[in-house]
Each structure stands twice: as structure tokens, then as C-alpha cells.
Amino acid sequence: MSCKLTQRFVPGYLDGELDLSRTIEMETHLQTCGECARELERLQALRGALQRGALAYTAPEGLRERIQSSLRVSAPTEARERASGWHPLQFSRPLLLLRWAGAFAVLALCAVTAWQFLPGLRGPTSDQRLAAEVLTSHVRSLEASHLMDVASTDQHTVKPWFDGKLDFSPPVEDLASDDFPLVGGRLDYLEGRQVAALVYQRRKHFINVFVWPGAAGSNSTQTLEPRQGYNMMHWSRGGFQFWAVSDVSATDLAEFVRLLQTRIAPGLK
Ligand SMILES: [Zn+2]
């Protein structure tokens, strides 16, 4: 892929909107081209600043106070006008309409501004970005014949293999008795951090399970819409986050995840 094409696709890449082959082409180019890699970093930094709210502006203290006191001043005036027999409908309606029109115009302007700028700035949710990364890693692991760094069906071989390679010890369970044998593991990267990838097999299909420490907001298991023929589920359990991805059927994947969950933390529902 050329530099020109790469830089054109960088925003889409950041948003996780590129298809798989384009993503892989991009990443291959980014590894060898400093200029394009810097362009990517620049956009990532900008997005980071926007998400942290570093560019957000907080209204000064006292603004609320001033607005409220101005409202308190105008309210009694209107009450006095009514009490004095002055006909509010006849005279103040145009004024009222004008006020409403003004308020409406401001609201409409805000809505239009938000519509135009926010989707681009906010980008996809972190779930969507992560899903795109998980899928890319899965497909790359199959295509590049780099499925496993340690090939073993023995959890007591696979688990210690990660020692010293990661700053955590991932839970490793074999599910051979349930026809989901563990076949190996490798190191992988998601969201710029090192994660453990455990590889399971179901007949001719592979399931990648990515594991890293940290509990997500909820313990519930999320099933994602299939992407390009791949099913994905993620959950957190026992202080770890898990993402499973495979081209096995959604039913098989759900069964696999259920079995894995009960093995890793049998006490939890
Ligand atoms: Zn380039």
C-alpha cells in the first residue's frame, strides 16, 4: 500500500472501519514507514486529547448563579404586569414568541453542531475498536501461520510458558473432555498492551481466547454481532478480561464460553 493511500485510510483504521485485508495491508505498511506511523500517532494523540476532555471548556463558577438571579428578577415583573390588568396576551405574546424562537434557534444550532462534529470525534465505542483488533489478531494468527508460540494440549505446559513473558499469569484451562481441546498459546497485543492468547480447537476450527487483567464494568457476558463470518464474545471473570473469537457457530462459541467460565471461577454464576 502506498503512503498516500495509507494516510487516506488512517482515520478509518482508527475507527475500526476498514475491512480485514485493508487493515492488514495498512499494518504491514505502518511497520515499515515512519512517516505514516507518525501520522497515525498524531491522530491517536488528538483523539486521546478529545476523549480525555482536555479540550473541553468548563463554564465559570457563578454562571449558574447569575442566570438564576436574572430569572428571579424577571419573574416578579411579569407577575406585576398581570396584576395591574395589563393584558399579557395582547402585548407580551410576540415578545414571548421571540424568546422562544431565540431559545429554539440556539438549541437547533447546538443540535446541528453536535450532529456534524460529535460522531467523528467520539469515534466508535471502545468495544467496537477492541472487537476490530481482536478480529484482526485472530485472522492474522490463522493466516500468518503464527497461531501458537507454545503448542501443547497440556495446560500445565502452556500456563508456565507465559511466566516471565507477561506481567500476569493467565488462567489456562483445557476443555478437551468437552471437545474443545486446548492446543497452545502465544503472546499477542491488544490496545497496545501485551495479552495472552490461548488457542482452542473445535474440529477444524480454532478459537482464540485473549486474556488480560482488569475487570470490565459488568460481569455479564457480551455477545457481539457476527463480523465477517466470525463470532465474538467477551466477559470478565476472576479479575481478568476475556475475548473469544472464532468461526465456529454462535451456539458452539456460547457453549465454549460457558464451559470456560465455569472452569475458571466455578463459584460464580
Ligand atoms: Zn508511508
Side-chain angles (χ1 to χ4, degrees):
M1 194 186 270
S2 70
C3 288
K4 205 173 160 192
L5 210 56
T6 303
Q7 295 188 6
R8 204 175 85 204
F9 284 126
V10 158
Y13 174 70
L14 271 176
D15 289 347
E17 286 166 352
L18 299 187
D19 65 28
L20 215 52
S21 60
R22 180 110 348 177
T23 304
I24 290 169
E25 275 179 61
M26 282 235 16
E27 290 185 344
T28 313
H29 180 89
L30 286 167
Q31 276 166 6
T32 55
C33 176
E35 198 184 327
C36 289
R38 276 190 295 280
E39 174 67 13
L40 177 70
E41 272 172 25
R42 200 182 60 75
L43 278 174
Q44 267 169 335
L46 175 64
R47 161 161 302 166
L50 289 167
Q51 280 171 343
R52 281 192 308 276
L55 303 176
Y57 174 74
T58 312
E61 291 278 323
L63 179 63
R64 175 198 294 271
E65 189 67 21
R66 286 203 297 283
I67 291 173
Q68 277 174 342
S69 64
S70 77
L71 287 174
R72 278 195 292 275
V73 169
S74 65
T77 316
E78 281 170 17
R80 270 200 308 278
E81 282 165 355
R82 271 188 219 103
S84 66
W86 189 76
H87 217 295
L89 280 182
Q90 200 178 347
F91 294 101
S92 71
R93 182 173 269 178
L95 202 70
L96 211 61
L97 281 178
L98 207 64
R99 270 192 207 168
W100 276 108
F104 181 76
V106 169
L107 274 179
L109 189 69
C110 289
V112 168
T113 311
W115 176 260
Q116 279 184 330
F117 293 107
L118 279 182
L121 296 182
R122 215 176 30 224
T125 65
S126 60
D127 241 27
Q128 288 169 321
R129 272 199 307 274
L130 196 50
E133 276 195 50
V134 163
L135 183 54
T136 308
S137 283
H138 176 69
V139 173
R140 199 193 289 118
S141 76
L142 301 177
E143 277 181 353
S145 63
H146 181 67
L147 193 59
M148 289 164 275
D149 289 333
V150 51
S152 171
T153 57
D154 182 4
Q155 67 204 61
H156 304 294
T157 305
V158 176
K159 191 175 170 65
W161 179 86
F162 284 109
D163 289 347
K165 299 184 180 71
L166 291 168
D167 54 5
F168 61 95
S169 180
V172 180
E173 295 290 337
D174 184 21
L175 296 175
S177 55
D178 297 295
D179 287 326
F180 291 104
L182 173 73
V183 289
R186 68 172 189 284
L187 296 179
D188 214 317
Y189 287 87
L190 288 175
E191 295 191 315
R193 70 155 301 154
Q194 237 178 2
V195 302
L198 301 169
V199 186
Y200 292 84
Q201 200 168 1
R202 176 68 153 186
R203 293 180 291 273
K204 295 246 188 291
H205 305 272
F206 290 103
I207 305 171
N208 262 299
V209 179
F210 300 94
V211 188
W212 65 98
S218 80
N219 262 342
S220 64
T221 307
Q222 308 285 325
T223 305
L224 278 74
E225 287 292 308
R227 289 185 174 212
Q228 298 164 42
Y230 294 94
N231 288 300
M232 269 186 273
M233 293 177 73
H234 70 91
W235 67 99
S236 63
R237 206 168 175 92
F240 291 96
Q241 290 210 49
F242 298 83
W243 278 70
V245 54
S246 179
D247 61 345
V248 296
S249 72
T251 322
D252 273 1
L253 189 65
E255 173 66 2
F256 168 77
V257 168
R258 192 188 62 76
L259 291 164
L260 198 59
Q261 286 179 340
T262 50
R263 290 290 183 88
I264 285 168
L268 287 175
K269 272 279 160 227

